[in-house]
Amino acid sequence: MPARPAPTAYERHAPDPRLVEQALAPSRQAVFWLEDSHDVPAATPLAASTRADLVVVGGGYLGLWTAVLAKRRDPGRHVVLLEAQRIGWAASGRNGGFCEASITHGEANGRARWPDEYDVLDRLGRQNLDAFEADVASWDLDCEWERTGVVHAAVEEHELDWLGPDRLDAAGVRALVDSPLFLGGRKVADEAAMVHPARLAHELARVARELGVEVHEGSAVEGLSRDASGAVRVETARATVLADRVVLATNVFPSLLRRARAMTVPVYDYVLMSEPLTPEQRASIGWSGREGLGDLANQFHYSRLTADDRILYGGYDAVYHLGGRLKAHYEDRPESFTRLASHFLATFPQLEGLSFTHRWAGAIDTCTRFAAFYGLAHRDRVAYAAGFTGLGVGATRFAAEVLLDLLAHERTERTELEMVRRRPLPFPPEPAAAIGINLTRRSLDRADHRQGHRDPWLRALDAVGLGFDS
């Protein structure tokens, strides 16, 4: 008879369910970042057919960075950006705001997949973060940029070995962020910044307009085709743009290219935002460095402070729905929000009585290697990237540079990377995709309840390069 799974630290220290209910009661289904951003007037939809040197499809981070960096490279280039809804309304406006140096979804994933070039990838990621910070300063982006670094905390005994030789003991990590659950930790000082996600998107759109980018919202692209000259016809319901080059930056949404549709699946992530902490509450948890915070479990949590000392708390559940569908009602999942609130109060019992004001969710574009992939289509006139798997705030800037290199047919250090030249394995068709993804999720949960021990299914995925280790 198999051993009964042990409860996790969050379950062993679970608060009274009535306290969880009271904390969640004032919250409403809304994205704090979008409400807290500047009141940006909507851009007009594309109403008349036109020509462009470059069309960017998608008004999230990848599309915005592509547009502004294209204008930096060639100020005279005519760039048109088409967004189906509003700038930054999806993942770019509702993420945790962790802008990390890694372009490989962490060191472990990078070393496992690209061991021979990992040192180059690490250097390029750090350079990208420095360049990001320089752009924030030079363009005066009002996005609450804080180069704080990240604290990784162990909440289980078996996680301590994962911290490496420079780990902090319980007292050391609790001097940074005080939680009775923390048994040890590690601070990565200069490899991450915190940003206000929606303001970053809106500020990049402002810069794009100032540089001369033609921005249209409410302009969903319905198809791509080539005309007799070889240019690409980018078709919306009301008008068409004839473009010399096109970048597809639709990420989690179904690709306009059939060949790319099986490369990503949407996985829903859930988030809570607290009310602002009082000075006494803030003093009780420390956190004077305002670092990003994450634990080490397969089903991990992430949290950070806002400018007005709220706590964002998200992660753990990662939910995939049969068929990879995107539906608004998937974002309201009471059991996920209840679990997050319980884990929050287990982490910070000294904050009992604190309420949550906002709860929301968003879909992450996940691929089988957990880091972005790249491609060209339509005789190299169309470039695309996707699959950022939750670490796209910083990596989308790097990806934009890659896509512009590819469209220019430039042989650069970026385009020579194996990570750029090779695509990951696609997901299988349904129902195999749903069966495999949900089996993996259950196995990861089981590993977290069994001191990190990976079952035969996870070991098999590891062997073929599909395993996941946070």
Side-chain angles (χ1 to χ4, degrees):
M1 185 173 181
R4 185 176 181 180
T8 67
Y10 299 101
E11 294 163 347
R12 294 194 302 271
H13 298 273
D16 187 317
R18 291 172 295 182
L19 296 176
V20 174
E21 184 179 355
Q22 290 166 10
L24 281 173
S27 68
R28 55 195 176 84
Q29 188 78 21
V31 181
F32 169 81
W33 301 122
L34 293 173
E35 290 189 349
D36 190 55
S37 192
H38 307 301
D39 186 14
V40 182
T44 59
L46 180 70
S49 295
T50 186
R51 296 186 67 95
D53 298 314
L54 173 67
V55 168
V56 178
V57 181
Y61 293 148
L62 179 59
L64 293 165
W65 277 116
T66 301
V68 298
L69 295 176
K71 291 294 284 186
R72 171 184 280 169
R73 293 185 182 202
D74 181 0
R77 184 183 308 186
H78 181 203
V79 179
V80 174
L81 186 149
L82 303 175
E83 163 56 39
Q85 296 198 37
R86 295 294 308 273
I87 293 294
W89 75 276
S92 296
R94 59 182 66 202
N95 62 83
F98 285 61
C99 184
E100 302 202 25
S102 178
I103 56 176
T104 63
H105 209 287
E107 180 177 356
N109 192 56
R111 288 195 182 279
R113 299 181 189 282
W114 304 285
D116 294 336
E117 65 181 27
Y118 178 74
D119 289 344
V120 174
L121 293 167
D122 180 61
R123 172 175 54 79
L124 291 173
R126 293 169 186 267
Q127 290 174 350
N128 179 66
L129 184 61
D130 290 340
F132 197 128
E133 184 169 47
D135 287 342
V136 169
S138 65
W139 283 325
D140 194 23
L141 303 182
D142 179 13
C143 62
E144 297 179 2
W145 175 271
E146 297 181 90
R147 190 79 175 258
T148 59
V150 174
V151 172
H152 302 285
V155 300
E156 307 284 358
E157 290 286 346
H158 69 268
E159 295 171 357
L160 292 171
D161 290 338
W162 301 347
L163 291 167
D166 58 344
R167 74 188 191 199
L168 301 168
D169 62 11
V173 69
R174 292 185 65 176
L176 297 173
V177 185
D178 193 4
S179 167
L181 262 58
F182 294 170
L183 306 179
R186 177 167 58 93
K187 179 172 178 177
V188 183
D190 199 42
E191 296 181 14
M194 299 295 109
V195 300
H196 188 303
R199 291 191 186 185
L200 173 60
H202 294 153
E203 284 289 273
L204 285 172
R206 171 185 63 80
V207 171
R209 294 186 183 96
E210 291 173 355
L211 293 174
V213 176
E214 189 178 324
V215 177
H216 295 284
E217 295 177 310
S219 302
V221 174
E222 299 178 345
L224 302 174
S225 61
R226 288 201 312 274
D227 78 346
S229 70
V232 182
R233 294 175 58 87
V234 183
E235 302 166 9
T236 72
R238 301 177 64 183
T240 297
V241 185
L242 196 62
D244 185 55
R245 298 286 187 271
V246 175
V247 164
L248 301 181
T250 54
N251 293 6
V252 77
F253 297 96
S255 177
L256 291 163
L257 300 171
R258 185 178 299 275
R259 71 180 68 176
R261 289 176 193 165
M263 304 305 294
T264 61
V265 295
V267 175
Y268 278 86
D269 182 46
Y270 296 84
V271 182
L272 295 173
M273 184 70 84
S274 80
E275 63 186 345
L277 274 63
T278 66
E280 294 76 20
Q281 289 170 325
R282 180 65 195 285
S284 74
I285 60 171
W287 217 341
S288 61
R290 301 181 57 81
E291 301 92 347
L293 176 64
D295 64 27
L296 299 175
N298 292 297
Q299 298 183 109
F300 59 90
H301 306 80
Y302 57 88
S303 55
R304 50 80 56 97
L305 292 164
T306 65
D308 61 348
D309 281 345
R310 299 170 184 263
I311 297 179
L312 176 142
Y313 193 79
Y316 196 80
D317 281 347
V319 180
Y320 175 76
H321 296 275
L322 180 66
R325 299 180 182 92
L326 293 162
K327 295 184 178 181
H329 74 262
Y330 291 159
E331 298 175 18
D332 190 6
R333 192 168 189 267
E335 60 266 42
S336 290
F337 296 124
T338 297
R339 186 176 295 113
L340 277 176
S342 178
H343 292 183
F344 176 96
L345 291 173
T347 305
F348 298 118
Q350 62 270 53
L351 297 181
E352 180 182 318
L354 186 72
S355 296
F356 297 102
T357 59
H358 297 72
R359 62 183 192 274
W360 72 89
I364 294 171
D365 59 324
T366 300
C367 72
T368 56
R369 73 184 191 189
F370 312 111
F373 61 88
Y374 305 86
L376 289 166
H378 287 276
R379 297 184 179 178
D380 295 352
R381 288 179 177 265
V382 176
Y384 59 93
F388 294 91
T389 317
L391 278 187
V393 179
T396 46
R397 186 191 179 283
F398 176 83
E401 297 277 27
V402 171
L403 296 179
L404 292 171
D405 288 349
L406 291 173
L407 287 178
H409 303 137
E410 294 179 0
R411 187 171 179 174
T412 68
E413 185 176 34
R414 290 183 289 257
T415 61
E416 292 301 297
L417 293 168
E418 181 185 356
M419 185 181 76
V420 170
R421 292 184 291 105
R422 297 192 179 185
R423 304 203 313 167
L425 291 172
F427 287 94
E430 294 289 12
I435 292 169
I437 291 167
N438 288 317
L439 179 57
T440 301
R441 181 168 176 253
R442 285 193 294 271
S443 292
L444 291 170
D445 178 71
R446 189 178 298 115
D448 286 337
H449 285 81
R450 292 178 173 165
Q451 295 77 49
H453 295 302
R454 298 169 81 79
D455 65 13
W457 173 254
L458 292 180
R459 293 197 298 272
L461 293 181
D462 292 339
V464 296
L466 298 178
F468 179 71
D469 186 340
S470 65

